[in-house]
């Protein structure tokens, strides 16, 4: 059964991740551009094997959550995190960064012990 929690500080009441307002706005614009309903669809944050440090983040849009997902809402954006990924991302902040080096989503994760040089993979 999925678990829904309100936004606040990451880690409070078992919340796996907090999303900044900028990241939520960017994701909602993309969801709208895909023609998805933001009341049902959301952004999935997951962890997968890969990268030179062992683990990497993944992001994608899903039309609805899976049964066991933790579901949070931040600034109107629904975020889905599967149980296996929760232990890796708990307490993290999802932000959107723009600049000369390129724009994109970035996960600030307090559980990371080391990252690869490019910041695309990590180890806990």
């Amino acid at each position: 059964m999925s678990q829904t929690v309100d936004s606040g500080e990451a880690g409070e009441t078992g919340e796996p991740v907090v999303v900044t307002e900028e990241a939520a706005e960017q994701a909602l614009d993309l969801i709208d551009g895909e023609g998805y309903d933001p009341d049902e669809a959301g952004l999935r944050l997951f962890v997968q094997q890969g990268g030179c440090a062992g683990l990497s983040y993944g992001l994608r849009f899903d039309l609805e959550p899976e049964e066991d997902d933790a579901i949070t809402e931040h600034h109107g954006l629904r975020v889905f995190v599967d149980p296996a990924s929760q232990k890796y991302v708990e307490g993290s902040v999802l932000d959107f960064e723009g600049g000369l080096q390129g724009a994109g989503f970035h996960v600030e994760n307090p559980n990371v012990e080391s990252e690869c040089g490019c910041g695309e993979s990590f180890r806990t």
Side-chain angles (χ1 to χ4, degrees):
M1 173 168 241
S2 60
Q3 160 194 2
T4 304
V5 292
D6 295 325
S7 64
E9 290 297 315
E12 286 183 1
T13 66
E15 185 170 9
V17 65
V18 167
V19 180
T20 66
E21 188 172 357
E22 175 69 15
E25 288 175 3
Q26 293 291 332
L28 286 167
D29 284 348
L30 292 168
I31 286 173
D32 186 54
E34 293 291 325
Y36 297 151
D37 178 359
D39 292 331
E40 295 295 325
L43 180 67
R44 175 169 301 282
L45 171 63
F46 59 96
V47 174
Q48 59 192 359
Q49 296 287 335
C52 50
L55 299 169
S56 62
Y57 301 108
L59 292 169
R60 72 171 186 253
F61 296 119
D62 277 354
L63 294 175
E64 60 187 19
E66 297 293 328
E67 185 175 318
D68 293 338
D69 285 345
I71 306 164
T72 58
E73 187 169 323
H74 309 270
H75 311 287
L77 174 68
R78 290 169 33 112
V79 179
F80 311 142
V81 180
D82 65 88
S85 297
Q86 285 182 41
K87 66 182 178 182
Y88 296 110
V89 300
E90 188 166 16
S92 295
V93 175
L94 178 64
D95 197 8
F96 186 87
E97 298 176 350
L100 294 175
Q101 298 297 322
F105 293 95
H106 175 74
V107 178
E108 297 172 26
N109 188 339
N111 305 306
V112 169
E113 291 180 5
S114 65
E115 291 182 308
C116 67
C118 65
E120 293 296 318
S121 66
F122 66 97
R123 184 170 26 130
T124 59

